[in-house]
Amino acid sequence: MKYFLILLFVAFVSNAQIKKEQLDLMPWPQNINLKEGVFALTKNFKVNITGNPNPRIFVGTTNFLRRLDGRTGLFLTQGFITKVNEFPDAELQINCVQNGKIGLYEDESYQLDIQSNRITINATSDLGALHALETLLQLLQNSSTSYYFPSSTITDLPRFTWRGLMIDVARHFQPVDVIKRNLDAMAALKMNVFHWHLTDDQGWRIEVKKHPKLTNMASDGSYYTQEEIKSIVKYADERGILVVPEIDVPGHASAILTAYPEIGSKMVGFSNGTSEKNMQSTALATYAIERNAGIFNPTLDPSNPKTYQLLSEIFDEVCPLFPGAYFHIGGDENEGKDWDSNPRIQDFKKKNKLVTNHDLQTYFTMKLIPMLKKHGKQLMGWEEIMTKDMSKDAIIHSWKGVNEGVPAGKSLVDAAKGGYKTVLSNGYYVDLVYGVEEHYNVDPMPKNAVLTEEEKARILGGEATMWTELVTPTTIDSRLWPRTAAIAERLWSAEDITDVNSMRKRLKTVSFRLEELGLTHIKNKAVILRNIVNNQNSDALNEFSNICEPLKKYSRNKGGTEYQMYSPFTLFADACTPDAADALEFEIAVNRYLENKSVENNDLVSSFFKKWIATNTSLINLSLNAPLVQPILPLSKSLSDLSQQLLLTIENKQAPNSSLLNDLLEQCNSKDHADVELAVYSSLKKLIGVLKQ
Amino acid sequence: MKYFLILLFVAFVSNAQIKKEQLDLMPWPQNINLKEGVFALTKNFKVNITGNPNPRIFVGTTNFLRRLDGRTGLFLTQGFITKVNEFPDAELQINCVQNGKIGLYEDESYQLDIQSNRITINATSDLGALHALETLLQLLQNSSTSYYFPSSTITDLPRFTWRGLMIDVARHFQPVDVIKRNLDAMAALKMNVFHWHLTDDQGWRIEVKKHPKLTNMASDGSYYTQEEIKSIVKYADERGILVVPEIDVPGHASAILTAYPEIGSKMVGFSNGTSEKNMQSTALATYAIERNAGIFNPTLDPSNPKTYQLLSEIFDEVCPLFPGAYFHIGGDENEGKDWDSNPRIQDFKKKNKLVTNHDLQTYFTMKLIPMLKKHGKQLMGWEEIMTKDMSKDAIIHSWKGVNEGVPAGKSLVDAAKGGYKTVLSNGYYVDLVYGVEEHYNVDPMPKNAVLTEEEKARILGGEATMWTELVTPTTIDSRLWPRTAAIAERLWSAEDITDVNSMRKRLKTVSFRLEELGLTHIKNKAVILRNIVNNQNSDALNEFSNICEPLKKYSRNKGGTEYQMYSPFTLFADACTPDAADALEFEIAVNRYLENKSVENNDLVSSFFKKWIATNTSLINLSLNAPLVQPILPLSKSLSDLSQQLLLTIENKQAPNSSLLNDLLEQCNSKDHADVELAVYSSLKKLIGVLKQ
C-alpha cells in the first residue's frame, strides 16, 4: 500500500509540472527558471543558517516557519531559530555573506535554488535572504493532500532602491499594531521604506520629552511614546525596512501651534494694541487641533528665532530614535496666507532680500539642514521645497500631478535634472481609492523625458502614500491592500512586467495571503457590513458592495467638513473598496455577450441582472430594521430598475426603449447616495449603447 | 410634509412600546421600569458631566459617543469631552458625586433615567456612571429609519464585588492590543478585575530591569515592557478595572529557572562530584522554556535564601507598576517531586519541622507576605496555598472541582469558613470550551453549604479563567466571548436571573456588539476557514463548522505534546466554537418533529439532512485543492451517510434499519477527526431513538 502511494505521489508530481503563469509571485522576480520535480514539505522540514548575517534573519526565518505552519497545518517541529549552524543537515540552507545594513543602495539580491531534496538560498546579506524567504512562501503549492515547492532557480534583485509606503498617522491616529501589521505586509511585498507622517494640522503624534505640551495639548491622547517608536523601528529593522520620519513644517502646523502659538505666523490682536505681548496673548487663543480635512493657514513663523530653537530641540530628541539616514520635513502646501498678512514677516522678507514666499520657505528649510546633519540625517521634503537656492543634498519627494494642475511627476524630472535625488509619489496615492491599474501603469522612470544615466540614477524609486482623512484603523488595510502590492511590483520588478491581467490574477492570491499576517482588509469589511445590517444576514449587502466603490479622488467628504476626524467611518462606502470584485466579472460577461449572443452568454449576463434585482428586494427587507441600509436603497433601486428593463430586452420580450434605458442608466451614474458609485456603470453603458442600435 | 412626518413618528413611537423581554441587556440590571415614550437620538445629541468625577469619565463618555456614532452612522457633532460642565443644556446629564477608586468594595451603583427629552445618570462615582453608559448603549433601539432610547428608569448595582477575568499570557503570549480589546469587552459587561497570569513554565512575560535575564532568556522575545504594563494598567483604570498581576511560584517555574537555575530544586550532577559548583553547572543546563502543555517539575528551592532575594527584588520592581491592592502569587500544582528528591531540601524540612511539602510551601508563601505588604499588597493565591498555617490575610482562589477529583468549589466553602476571603473560578474555566450553560448555572454562593452572613461576605465573587495552551491571539477572543458575558451576568445580576433561553437570546446581541470594540471572535473564524479552504469559497466549511465544536476539557492535544506552544492554531477546531450555532437550531427542529410530525416539521428536519449531504459533497470538492480540508472529511461523510438514511426514513421511503442507523450514529460520535466533535450527536441520537421504536 505504501509503495502504491509513493508511486501515486510520483505520478502526481510529474503530472503537476507547473508553469510560470501558474505561479502567484509578486513582485515578479527578475529571473525564474522552472525545472522538473518538486521539493515535498514534511513536518520535519528544517532550516539552517550560515555565514555572517544580522540576527534579524533568525526572527525572519522563525516567522517563516510559523507562516508555513499556519498555511499547511503541518506544525513543523523546528521551533525558534536563534543562531547560525544549528542544523547543518537541514533541507533549507540559507547563507548570508554579510550583515545587512538598513538603508538605500544595499545589495538586496538573492539566489533561490529548489531541488527535490534541498533548498538553497544565497544572498549577500540577510536583507536578500529575507526577500528569498518571501519568494519561497509565494512558491508554495499543494496537491489535494500535500504541500511542495516546485524545483526552480530564481535570481532576483530590485529595480529601485526606494520602495516606500507612507502612512499618515496625524489625520487618523494608527495604533502600534496597525503599523506593525502593515510593516509585515510591506516586507511580504519586498518594500523597504516606511515613511511615517507623524505630524499635521490634525495631531502631533510623537512624544517629545522636553516638550510634553506637544502631545498633551495637540494629540487628543493619541500618540506614540518614544518606546513605541523604538519598538516599531526595531520591528521594521527586523523586516529589512528603513523608517523615514516626517515632521511636516512650516505649514500643516495647526497641532504644533496649538501647543506653541507663539511661533505661529498669524497676525491678530491689533485692536488691543500692537505690542508684542498683546499680539501673542491673542494668538494663544487662535490655534486649535484641526478637526476637518483640507489645506489650512496655520504656519510656523520663519522670522522668529524661537521657531528654530523649538525645531532644533525636537530634532535633537526625535533624530536619535531613527537610525536611518533620512528625515522628511514635509514642506508641502504652504500657501503663505498668514505670512502675507503679517507685516513683521513682510519686513523680515525685505530685510533678508527674500522676494517670494518660496524664497522665504527656502530660507526656513535651509536652516533645518544643519540641525539634521548634526544627527547624520539628510533632509527630504515634498517637491515644494525645491527652489533655486535649495541645497542639492535635499531629496525631493515628487507628488503633484494632473489633479494639482501640473504634468504628472513633473517635479521628478526637474529634480533629477537639477541634481537632486528624488522619489515619486504622484500616481501612487492609494488614498484616492482609484483602481489598481491606475497605479500599476505608473513607472518612476519617466517615459517622455530624456534623461542621462546620471540623472536616471537620481530617481531612487517610488512611494505609495496613505493619507488618512477618511481612513480609520478599521479600514486602513483595505485602502492599502492589495493595491499597494501592485506598486511594490512596479518598484521591484523589471520595467516590462506590465501585464495587467497577470497582475490582477496574482493579486488575488497576494490579497488572500496577507490575511496570514493579520491584515484586516478582508475581515473588517464583514464587520462593517454586519453593523450596517444590524446583525441581520449581510449576504445581500455584501453582493451590493461587490459592485460599489467609494467615491474617488477627494470627492467624498465635500469641503472637508462633512465628516470630522473623530467620526468613525462605519458607513457603506467604508466597507466598499476600489476594484469592486464583481465589476470586472460583469465587464467580462458584457464583452462576451456583445461578441456572441449565445444562450450561455445571455444567461451569464442575465444572472447578474437577476442577482441585482434580488439584492434590491433583500436590501429593502433589511432596511426595515436597519437605518444604515436606507441611504443605499436609491442606488440599489436604480440598478434593479435598469436590470429589469435590460432583462426584458435581452430576453427579447421587449424592444429596447432607448430613452427609458438612458434615463435609468443615468440614475445608475449617480454619486449622490451613500458616498459610493456603481462600478458597473461603464459596462452597463457599453451594453446599452449596443442594444440601442 | 414635515408635519406628516412628525405625526408618523409619533404614531410609530407609541406603537413601538417596547417590552422588557425585547431588551438585550447583559448583565441584567437589578431594577428596570419601562415607561411610555422614547428619547429620539439626533446628530446634535450632547453630553454634559457634572460633579467631582475621576477624569476617566471623560475618556469613557467620549468613547461612548464614538460607539453611538459607529452604530448609528449619525456621527454626532460633539467631539472630545475633557472637562465638567461643558454643555449645561446637553440632553444627557451625567452626575458623579465623587472620584471613583479602583478596587474592591467601591460603590459601583448607578441610576439611569430616560425621558423623552432628557437622559440623566446619577452615580456615586464615575465607576457607576461608566456602567450606566454601557447600559444606555445596550438600550439603543431603532425603527427602520431612526434610533432611540426607550423611556425608562433603571437602578442598578453589582451582586459581587469581584467580577474577574484571568488571561494567561505565558502559554501563548497575548500582545498589548489583545489585552486592551479584552479590557474593553470586560468593561462592556461590567466586569471589574483583570487577573494577569504573567509567568509560567512556558514564558516569563514581564520586564524586570534589574534582572533582564528573565526576559532575555525566558520569553522568546515576547513580553511586556514596563511601559506597556503601565499603559495597560492605565487603560484598565479608564474602564474601571482593577489589574491583579500574577507571578506564579514556587511551581510552574521552568521559565524563571531557565534564567536563574541556581534557585531551582532539581538535584543533579552528582557524577561530577557533589560540590555546590558542579551541581550548579549541571543544573544550568537542565532547565529550559517549556514547549508542551502539562504539569512540570521545575520548582523554586524554598530552602535557598537566593530564592527570596530574587523574588523580593522582582516584587520591588513589579509591585509599583500595579496600583491595586492585590498580588497573586499562584502557588498551584506544585507536586513537589524535585523537593522530594533533593536531600538538601529534605534536610531543610526536618530542620524547620515542616512535615509535608504543603508545610514547606506554606513556609515559602509566608515569606512572600511581608515582601508584598511592603508595597501595600495583599497576597492572593490558588487554593493550594490554603493550609493550617496560612495567614488569614491571604485571598484564596478556588479552582478545583470534579475534574480534579474534589467537589466543585469545595475550597471556596472551606476558605469562607476558615476566615479567608475567597474568589471562585471552578465552573468558570472558559478555556475548557464547554457550552455557555455550563458556566451560567454556577453561582459563587454555594447552594449546598450553610454559611453565616459573615462567611458569605468573604465570598468576593468569581473569575473566568482563560488558560492559553491551545489559544493564540487569533483565537483567544472566540474562546472568551461571548460566553464570558454570561459569567459576567452571574456575577453582577440578581441570583434569580437564571433563564437560559433569555440569556442565550441576549447573548447573541452582546456577541454582535462586541465587534464594535474590535473583538475578533466572529471575524477571525472567517479568516481561519478561508485559510483551510485555500481561498476557495468557504460557505460549505462554514456550514460544517456551525455543527462542530472543539474537543472539550483537555482532551485536545493529547498528553500535552501533540502541539507545541509555538504551533500556530489554524486548524478546523480553532475555527469552531462551543455552542455551535446550528446545533441548537437542530435540537429545536428535532423536538418539534418528535412532538408533531407535520409536513412543516418534517421539512424542517429534512432541510438539515439535505444541507449536510450537500455540505459533504462541497467539502469533498474543496478538498481537491485544500489539504487542510482532508481531516474533516471522515466526520462529514459520517454525518452525510446518516443523513441519507434518516431522510429515507422520515420521508417514509424506507423502514428504519435499526442496526445501520446505530452504526452510522456511532460514527458521528467519533472524536478522532480534526480535533472536533459533532454538536448534533445528542439530537441525532434522540431522533433515532424514537424512530427505531
Side-chain angles (χ1 to χ4, degrees):
Chain A
M1 178 66 181
K2 237 180 193 170
Y3 182 67
F4 173 73
L5 282 177
I6 289 168
L7 271 183
L8 202 70
F9 180 69
V10 170
F12 157 76
V13 160
S14 54
N15 284 338
Q17 182 58 43
I18 202 160
K19 299 200 179 79
K20 276 189 199 179
E21 301 77 57
Q22 290 172 268
L23 298 175
D24 289 336
L25 301 176
M26 184 172 282
W28 193 259
Q30 304 295 345
N31 292 290
I32 172 164
N33 181 21
L34 282 171
K35 295 177 288 191
E36 288 222 347
V38 306
F39 176 98
L41 191 66
T42 67
K43 192 174 171 67
N44 279 317
F45 175 81
K46 286 200 179 47
V47 192
N48 188 49
I49 297 167
T50 57
N52 298 292
N54 181 290
R56 71 172 69 89
I57 194 64
F58 304 135
V59 178
T61 309
T62 303
N63 289 344
F64 162 85
L65 289 174
R66 297 294 85 78
R67 287 160 70 191
L68 265 187
D69 278 350
R71 289 184 193 191
T72 63
L74 282 174
F75 296 1
L76 309 170
T77 51
Q78 193 171 11
F80 295 85
I81 298 168
T82 56
K83 51 180 184 278
V84 292
N85 230 14
E86 274 183 301
F87 292 99
D89 297 329
E91 293 94 333
L92 169 55
Q93 294 287 330
I94 302 175
N95 184 59
C96 310
V97 180
Q98 65 192 45
N99 188 325
K101 300 277 175 295
I102 300 296
L104 302 185
Y105 308 115
E106 275 289 296
D107 181 346
E108 297 179 73
S109 69
Y110 67 89
Q111 283 188 299
L112 170 62
D113 182 61
I114 302 172
Q115 298 180 19
S116 63
N117 59 352
R118 197 176 184 83
I119 302 175
T120 314
I121 289 171
N122 280 301
T124 305
S125 84
D126 40 273
L127 300 172
L130 288 175
H131 295 318
L133 289 172
E134 295 295 343
T135 301
L136 188 55
L137 279 167
Q138 291 187 346
L139 280 169
L140 184 72
Q141 306 295 315
N142 63 276
S143 70
S144 63
T145 54
S146 64
Y147 295 89
Y148 64 92
F149 298 108
S151 292
S152 50
T153 309
I154 290 177
T155 56
D156 201 7
L157 81 175
R159 183 169 161 229
F160 293 102
T161 191
W162 190 295
R163 305 178 306 281
L165 169 63
M166 186 213 77
I167 296 181
D168 165 16
V169 299
R171 279 14 178 277
H172 275 89
F173 182 68
Q174 304 295 334
V176 172
D177 57 310
V178 175
I179 301 299
K180 286 188 174 173
R181 72 184 183 230
N182 278 290
L183 289 168
D184 278 319
M186 288 177 66
L189 277 309
K190 302 185 172 64
M191 300 179 82
N192 70 334
V193 179
F194 170 50
H195 168 184
W196 205 351
H197 185 79
L198 285 162
T199 70
D200 214 303
D201 293 298
Q202 293 83 354
W204 183 276
R205 305 298 183 198
I206 175 167
E207 177 189 29
V208 180
K209 293 187 186 195
K210 190 165 187 178
H211 295 285
K213 277 165 76 179
L214 288 166
T215 44
N216 286 346
M217 298 180 67
S219 79
D220 301 309
S222 291
Y223 64 94
Y224 307 100
T225 64
Q226 294 193 1
E227 192 177 297
E228 285 171 333
I229 298 272
K230 284 180 204 164
S231 140
I232 285 172
V233 168
K234 176 167 178 280
Y235 199 85
D237 179 292
E238 284 167 352
R239 282 145 189 83
I241 295 172
L242 168 74
V243 182
V244 177
E246 176 181 348
I247 288 184
D248 197 353
V249 286
H252 291 277
S254 303
I256 185 173
L257 293 177
T258 300
Y260 291 97
E262 58 269 32
I263 60 167
S265 302
K266 198 170 168 66
M267 201 61 194
V268 284
F270 281 105
S271 59
N272 295 326
T274 53
S275 78
E276 182 94 338
K277 187 164 171 287
N278 274 332
M279 280 169 58
Q280 284 190 12
S281 70
T282 314
L284 274 169
T286 308
Y287 296 105
I289 301 176
E290 183 57 54
R291 303 303 181 189
N292 293 316
I295 301 176
F296 304 98
N297 294 334
T299 309
L300 300 185
D301 181 353
S303 72
N304 188 342
K306 282 186 191 166
T307 300
Y308 302 105
Q309 191 190 333
L310 178 68
L311 290 178
S312 175
E313 287 169 4
I314 289 171
F315 291 144
D316 284 349
E317 261 197 48
V318 171
C319 284
L321 301 173
F322 299 91
Y326 309 91
F327 202 107
H328 205 299
I329 57 84
D332 57 319
E333 297 183 323
N334 169 23
E335 297 182 343
K337 288 185 189 164
D338 286 357
W339 289 356
D340 291 337
S341 62
N342 186 327
R344 204 179 53 207
I345 293 177
Q346 292 306 316
D347 284 353
F348 182 83
K349 273 168 76 174
K350 275 177 218 146
K351 214 176 291 169
N352 289 276
K353 296 184 182 146
L354 302 164
V355 181
T356 67
N357 282 343
H358 278 293
D359 297 335
L360 180 56
Q361 185 168 339
T362 302
Y363 170 92
F364 167 85
T365 310
M366 292 297 286
K367 301 265 279 182
L368 308 186
I369 289 178
M371 295 182 199
L372 295 169
K373 208 167 214 167
K374 174 178 158 195
H375 296 286
K377 301 275 189 269
Q378 202 171 332
L379 181 143
M380 179 169 186
W382 299 104
E383 62 181 76
E384 286 95 325
I385 69 164
M386 182 171 55
T387 58
K388 60 182 182 352
D389 298 325
M390 179 51 54
S391 160
K392 302 293 179 193
D393 280 346
I395 299 175
I396 305 303
H397 197 159
S398 171
W399 70 276
K400 291 188 181 180
V402 179
N403 288 340
E404 291 76 27
V406 298
K410 176 181 181 298
S411 61
L412 186 87
V413 176
D414 292 347
K417 292 194 171 184
Y420 297 96
K421 292 207 175 82
T422 181
V423 171
L424 182 68
S425 275
N426 181 264
Y428 303 136
Y429 269 47
V430 286
D431 64 312
L432 297 175
V433 286
Y434 290 134
V436 63
E437 200 173 341
E438 295 275 337
H439 305 300
Y440 191 61
N441 286 335
V442 176
D443 198 298
M445 203 51 73
K447 277 162 193 150
N448 303 327
V450 182
L451 296 177
T452 66
E453 285 309 307
E454 205 184 346
E455 286 163 354
K456 281 184 185 171
R458 293 193 190 113
I459 295 175
L460 302 177
E463 186 174 294
T465 53
M466 180 76 256
W467 302 102
T468 56
E469 281 90 346
L470 298 172
V471 170
T472 68
T474 299
T475 61
I476 187 169
D477 294 2
S478 79
R479 272 53 188 143
L480 278 167
W481 309 102
R483 289 175 304 143
T484 298
I487 297 175
E489 172 157 291
R490 176 62 45 243
L491 300 173
W492 176 284
S493 303
E495 193 178 352
D496 62 355
I497 301 294
T498 53
D499 181 335
V500 172
N501 287 334
S502 161
M503 176 273 286
R504 282 191 195 279
K505 176 216 154 228
R506 291 177 287 125
L507 199 59
K508 277 187 195 170
T509 301
V510 168
S511 180
F512 160 58
R513 287 298 182 200
L514 285 174
E515 276 208 302
E516 89 185 1
L517 296 168
L519 277 287
T520 64
H521 55 308
I522 302 172
K523 64 185 179 182
N524 280 358
K525 173 176 181 174
V527 172
I528 300 173
L529 294 180
R530 272 193 287 275
N531 186 54
I532 292 173
V533 298
N534 200 11
N535 207 23
Q536 302 172 91
N537 185 315
S538 61
D539 289 349
L541 189 64
N542 189 46
E543 285 289 357
F544 197 60
S545 76
N546 285 338
I547 49 168
C548 290
E549 295 179 356
L551 294 182
K552 297 180 200 322
K553 248 166 76 177
Y554 296 124
S555 56
R556 196 183 171 194
N557 192 23
K558 292 188 185 70
T561 57
E562 199 179 342
Y563 304 113
Q564 279 64 54
M565 289 303 132
Y566 50 79
S567 307
F569 288 84
T570 52
L571 304 181
F572 183 60
D574 303 298
C576 295
T577 63
D579 303 305
D582 279 4
L584 194 62
E585 300 298 316
F586 181 62
E587 188 187 335
I588 293 166
V590 165
N591 287 339
R592 274 200 207 155
Y593 173 78
L594 292 180
E595 258 173 44
N596 176 359
K597 290 179 185 165
S598 65
V599 175
E600 201 185 353
N601 289 340
N602 194 321
D603 286 353
L604 180 63
V605 172
S606 298
S607 71
F608 282 94
F609 299 136
K610 286 174 185 163
K611 185 162 74 174
W612 296 336
I613 293 165
T615 296
N616 184 53
T617 305
S618 299
L619 288 179
I620 291 169
N621 287 333
L622 288 170
S623 75
L624 299 178
N625 186 26
L628 279 171
V629 174
Q630 297 291 348
I632 304 161
L633 294 182
L635 201 57
S636 166
K637 180 180 184 302
S638 297
L639 183 63
S640 175
D641 290 350
L642 180 59
S643 296
Q644 281 171 356
Q645 286 303 312
L646 285 169
L647 262 187
L648 289 172
T649 306
I650 67 169
E651 286 174 355
N652 286 320
K653 290 182 184 155
Q654 189 179 290
N657 176 334
S658 199
S659 95
L660 178 62
L661 285 176
N662 271 353
D663 284 358
L664 292 173
L665 177 66
E666 284 320 300
Q667 282 168 31
C668 288
N669 195 23
S670 170
K671 299 186 181 180
D672 296 335
H673 304 293
D675 291 352
V676 298
E677 60 186 50
L678 274 178
V680 289
Y681 169 74
S682 59
S683 298
L684 287 167
K685 190 174 177 181
K686 183 173 180 182
L687 175 65
I688 289 168
V690 176
L691 286 180
K692 283 193 305 189
Q693 285 161 10
Chain B
M1 180 65 183
K2 239 180 192 170
Y3 182 67
F4 172 75
L5 282 177
I6 290 168
L7 271 182
L8 201 72
F9 181 70
V10 171
F12 157 76
V13 161
S14 53
N15 285 339
Q17 182 59 44
I18 202 161
K19 300 199 180 78
K20 275 189 199 179
E21 301 78 56
Q22 291 172 266
L23 297 175
D24 289 336
L25 301 176
M26 186 173 282
W28 193 259
Q30 303 296 343
N31 291 291
I32 173 162
N33 180 20
L34 282 170
K35 294 177 288 191
E36 288 223 345
V38 305
F39 176 98
L41 191 65
T42 67
K43 192 174 172 67
N44 280 317
F45 174 81
K46 285 199 179 50
V47 192
N48 189 48
I49 298 167
T50 56
N52 298 293
N54 182 288
R56 70 171 68 89
I57 194 64
F58 304 135
V59 178
T61 310
T62 302
N63 289 344
F64 162 85
L65 289 173
R66 298 293 85 81
R67 286 161 72 190
L68 265 187
D69 277 351
R71 288 183 194 191
T72 63
L74 283 174
F75 295 2
L76 309 170
T77 51
Q78 193 171 11
F80 295 86
I81 299 168
T82 56
K83 51 179 185 277
V84 293
N85 230 15
E86 275 183 301
F87 292 99
D89 297 330
E91 293 94 332
L92 169 55
Q93 295 288 330
I94 302 175
N95 184 58
C96 310
V97 180
Q98 66 192 43
N99 188 324
K101 302 276 175 295
I102 301 296
L104 303 185
Y105 307 115
E106 275 288 296
D107 181 346
E108 297 180 72
S109 69
Y110 67 89
Q111 283 187 300
L112 169 62
D113 183 61
I114 302 173
Q115 298 182 17
S116 62
N117 58 352
R118 199 176 183 83
I119 304 175
T120 313
I121 290 171
N122 279 300
T124 304
S125 84
D126 39 272
L127 300 172
L130 288 175
H131 295 318
L133 288 172
E134 295 295 344
T135 301
L136 187 55
L137 279 167
Q138 291 186 345
L139 281 169
L140 184 71
Q141 306 295 315
N142 63 275
S143 70
S144 62
T145 54
S146 64
Y147 295 90
Y148 64 93
F149 299 108
S151 292
S152 49
T153 308
I154 290 177
T155 56
D156 202 7
L157 81 175
R159 183 169 162 229
F160 291 102
T161 191
W162 189 295
R163 305 179 306 281
L165 169 63
M166 186 213 77
I167 296 181
D168 165 14
V169 298
R171 277 18 177 276
H172 276 90
F173 182 67
Q174 305 295 332
V176 172
D177 57 309
V178 174
I179 302 298
K180 286 189 175 173
R181 70 183 185 232
N182 278 291
L183 288 168
D184 277 318
M186 287 177 66
L189 275 309
K190 301 186 172 66
M191 299 179 84
N192 70 334
V193 179
F194 170 49
H195 168 185
W196 205 351
H197 185 79
L198 286 161
T199 71
D200 214 303
D201 292 298
Q202 293 84 353
W204 182 276
R205 306 298 183 196
I206 175 168
E207 177 189 30
V208 179
K209 294 186 185 196
K210 191 165 187 178
H211 295 285
K213 277 164 77 178
L214 288 166
T215 45
N216 287 346
M217 299 181 65
S219 78
D220 302 307
S222 292
Y223 64 94
Y224 307 100
T225 64
Q226 292 192 2
E227 193 178 296
E228 286 171 333
I229 298 272
K230 285 180 203 162
S231 139
I232 285 173
V233 168
K234 176 167 178 277
Y235 198 86
D237 178 292
E238 285 168 351
R239 283 146 187 83
I241 295 171
L242 168 73
V243 183
V244 177
E246 175 180 350
I247 289 185
D248 197 353
V249 286
H252 291 277
S254 304
I256 184 172
L257 292 177
T258 300
Y260 290 98
E262 59 268 34
I263 58 167
S265 302
K266 197 169 169 67
M267 202 61 196
V268 284
F270 281 103
S271 60
N272 295 328
T274 52
S275 78
E276 182 94 339
K277 188 165 170 288
N278 275 331
M279 281 168 59
Q280 284 189 11
S281 70
T282 314
L284 273 168
T286 308
Y287 295 105
I289 302 175
E290 182 57 53
R291 303 302 181 190
N292 292 316
I295 300 177
F296 304 97
N297 292 336
T299 309
L300 301 185
D301 179 354
S303 73
N304 188 342
K306 282 187 190 164
T307 299
Y308 302 103
Q309 191 189 332
L310 179 68
L311 289 178
S312 176
E313 287 169 4
I314 289 170
F315 291 145
D316 283 349
E317 262 196 49
V318 171
C319 284
L321 302 173
F322 298 92
Y326 309 91
F327 202 107
H328 204 298
I329 55 84
D332 56 321
E333 297 183 322
N334 170 23
E335 297 183 342
K337 289 184 188 163
D338 285 357
W339 289 356
D340 290 339
S341 62
N342 186 327
R344 204 179 52 207
I345 293 177
Q346 292 305 315
D347 283 353
F348 183 84
K349 274 170 76 175
K350 273 178 217 143
K351 215 177 291 170
N352 289 276
K353 295 181 184 150
L354 302 164
V355 182
T356 68
N357 282 342
H358 279 292
D359 296 335
L360 179 56
Q361 185 168 339
T362 302
Y363 170 91
F364 167 84
T365 308
M366 291 298 286
K367 299 266 277 183
L368 308 185
I369 288 179
M371 296 182 198
L372 295 169
K373 207 167 215 168
K374 174 179 159 195
H375 297 285
K377 303 274 190 270
Q378 203 171 332
L379 181 143
M380 179 169 187
W382 299 103
E383 63 181 78
E384 286 95 326
I385 70 163
M386 183 171 54
T387 58
K388 60 180 184 350
D389 296 324
M390 180 51 54
S391 159
K392 302 293 178 192
D393 280 346
I395 299 175
I396 305 303
H397 197 160
S398 171
W399 70 276
K400 291 188 180 181
V402 179
N403 288 340
E404 291 75 28
V406 298
K410 176 181 180 298
S411 61
L412 187 88
V413 175
D414 292 346
K417 291 195 172 183
Y420 297 96
K421 293 206 175 83
T422 182
V423 171
L424 182 67
S425 275
N426 181 264
Y428 302 137
Y429 268 49
V430 285
D431 65 311
L432 297 175
V433 286
Y434 291 134
V436 62
E437 200 173 341
E438 294 275 337
H439 305 300
Y440 191 61
N441 287 335
V442 176
D443 198 298
M445 205 49 75
K447 277 162 191 149
N448 304 326
V450 183
L451 296 177
T452 66
E453 284 310 306
E454 206 183 342
E455 286 162 356
K456 282 183 183 171
R458 293 193 190 115
I459 296 175
L460 301 178
E463 187 174 294
T465 53
M466 181 76 255
W467 302 101
T468 57
E469 281 89 347
L470 298 172
V471 170
T472 69
T474 300
T475 60
I476 188 170
D477 294 2
S478 79
R479 271 53 188 143
L480 276 168
W481 309 101
R483 289 175 303 145
T484 298
I487 297 174
E489 172 156 291
R490 176 60 48 244
L491 300 174
W492 176 285
S493 303
E495 192 177 353
D496 62 355
I497 302 294
T498 52
D499 181 334
V500 173
N501 287 332
S502 161
M503 176 273 285
R504 283 193 194 276
K505 176 214 156 230
R506 290 178 287 124
L507 198 60
K508 279 188 193 168
T509 301
V510 167
S511 180
F512 160 57
R513 286 299 182 200
L514 284 174
E515 275 208 302
E516 88 184 1
L517 296 169
L519 277 286
T520 64
H521 55 309
I522 302 171
K523 64 185 180 183
N524 280 358
K525 173 177 181 174
V527 173
I528 300 172
L529 294 180
R530 270 192 290 275
N531 186 54
I532 292 173
V533 297
N534 200 10
N535 206 23
Q536 302 172 90
N537 185 314
S538 62
D539 289 350
L541 189 63
N542 189 45
E543 284 290 358
F544 196 59
S545 76
N546 285 337
I547 50 169
C548 290
E549 296 180 357
L551 295 181
K552 298 182 201 318
K553 248 164 79 177
Y554 296 123
S555 57
R556 196 183 172 194
N557 192 22
K558 291 187 187 70
T561 57
E562 197 179 343
Y563 304 112
Q564 278 64 53
M565 289 304 132
Y566 51 79
S567 308
F569 288 83
T570 52
L571 303 180
F572 184 60
D574 302 298
C576 296
T577 62
D579 303 305
D582 278 5
L584 195 62
E585 300 298 316
F586 181 63
E587 187 186 338
I588 293 167
V590 166
N591 287 339
R592 274 200 207 153
Y593 173 78
L594 293 179
E595 258 173 44
N596 175 0
K597 290 177 186 168
S598 65
V599 175
E600 200 185 355
N601 289 340
N602 194 321
D603 287 351
L604 180 63
V605 172
S606 299
S607 70
F608 281 93
F609 299 136
K610 287 173 184 164
K611 185 161 76 174
W612 296 336
I613 294 165
T615 295
N616 184 51
T617 306
S618 300
L619 289 178
I620 291 169
N621 287 333
L622 288 170
S623 75
L624 299 179
N625 185 26
L628 279 171
V629 173
Q630 298 290 348
I632 304 160
L633 294 181
L635 202 56
S636 167
K637 180 179 185 303
S638 296
L639 183 62
S640 175
D641 290 349
L642 180 59
S643 295
Q644 281 170 356
Q645 286 304 312
L646 285 169
L647 262 187
L648 290 172
T649 306
I650 67 170
E651 286 173 355
N652 285 321
K653 290 178 185 159
Q654 188 179 290
N657 176 336
S658 201
S659 97
L660 177 62
L661 285 176
N662 271 353
D663 284 357
L664 292 173
L665 176 67
E666 282 321 299
Q667 282 168 29
C668 289
N669 195 25
S670 170
K671 299 186 181 180
D672 295 336
H673 304 294
D675 291 353
V676 298
E677 59 186 51
L678 274 178
V680 290
Y681 169 74
S682 60
S683 298
L684 287 168
K685 189 174 179 180
K686 183 173 180 183
L687 174 65
I688 289 168
V690 175
L691 287 179
K692 285 192 303 187
Q693 285 161 10

